[in-house]
Amino acid sequence: MSNDFSLDEVIRKVPDFPKPGILFYDITGILVNPKAFKYCIDMMVKLYKGLELDALAAIESRGFVFAAPLAERLGVPLILIRKKGKLPGDTYSCKYALEYGFAEIEVHKADVQRGQKILIIDDLIATGGTLKAAQNVLEQGGANVLGFFGIVGLPFLNYQKVLDPVPVKTLIDYNAE
Ligand code: AMP
């Protein structure tokens, strides 16, 4: 596994985006660096290949980018969780609070199977509100969430408390803004 770079060096930190007071961790620097992107996917495979997963679920939109190669590598279905109004079929939905504002997410009812064991993927975990809402929509369909994953974690925002008792894994954490 190639690791001749620092993940921290390829994650850009943008102050006051999208609102004053928010330090935005921009993962696009990972995507334009093939070694960094491969490192992330290899690490995710290593973390989850032993887990008996039935599916991955990914959060729009940056979660999609990391979940799609992982789903292909693990040979499991990929369920897309999208912002309200984007999915054409019948959906389960959940409203939630973001670190900056409010949102509502949805999943196709037809994509979720009762009893399915699912890992949920996003690019970054801040308050954990988005992942909690994603768990809610999947559980409306009778699925079980086995884990949460983010490339970046902001544990000082106490996401683990929100997401307990489901285990959370990240590749890099930032402990203060
Ligand atoms: P949260 O629900 O608070 O855990 O927020 C997570 C979602 O919002 C993820 O989809 C992130 O992409 C985005 N997000 C929240 N805070 C930040 C931040 N400081 N930098 C980059 N993305 C963020």
Side-chain angles (χ1 to χ4, degrees):
M1 192 176 301
S2 150
N3 189 12
D4 52 354
F5 67 91
S6 149
L7 206 49
D8 176 55
E9 277 173 23
V10 295
I11 295 170
R12 297 186 197 107
K13 289 88 184 167
V14 186
D16 299 320
F17 183 86
K19 283 188 174 178
I22 301 289
L23 180 61
F24 190 85
Y25 294 90
D26 175 19
I27 56 79
T28 61
I30 297 176
L31 303 177
V32 295
N33 182 321
K35 280 184 185 166
F37 189 41
K38 180 171 166 36
Y39 167 79
C40 289
I41 304 306
D42 284 347
M43 287 299 291
M44 292 164 81
V45 170
K46 208 171 155 186
L47 286 173
Y48 294 113
K49 70 170 181 242
L51 204 64
E52 281 190 23
L53 287 173
D54 296 316
L56 295 184
I59 311 284
E60 182 174 359
S61 56
R62 293 181 296 269
F64 292 178
V65 174
F66 294 96
L70 182 64
E72 194 278 332
R73 294 265 293 268
L74 296 179
V76 297
L78 176 59
I79 300 167
L80 300 188
I81 297 179
R82 301 209 60 184
K83 289 166 189 154
K84 188 178 168 58
K86 301 275 188 181
L87 292 170
D90 278 351
T91 60
Y92 301 114
S93 71
C94 183
K95 282 191 184 143
Y96 66 103
L98 280 175
E99 191 188 5
Y100 40 82
F102 289 88
E104 185 166 353
I105 52 170
E106 296 184 314
V107 69
H108 268 145
K109 288 183 179 176
D111 291 349
V112 185
Q113 312 303 318
R114 199 153 286 280
Q116 212 173 19
K117 289 176 281 178
I118 301 178
L119 170 72
I120 310 180
I121 309 277
D122 204 353
D123 67 322
L124 178 141
I125 311 175
T127 65
T130 306
L131 290 177
K132 192 74 188 169
Q135 179 180 13
N136 178 297
V137 293
L138 295 171
E139 287 180 351
Q140 287 179 47
N144 300 316
V145 174
L146 290 196
F148 295 108
F149 175 84
I151 299 292
V152 180
L154 306 182
F156 66 93
L157 295 173
N158 294 320
Y159 59 73
Q160 186 65 69
K161 212 169 156 188
V162 172
L163 300 173
D164 263 353
V166 178
V168 183
K169 290 181 181 169
T170 57
L171 296 188
I172 186 166
D173 289 338
Y174 291 98
N175 284 307
E177 291 197 351

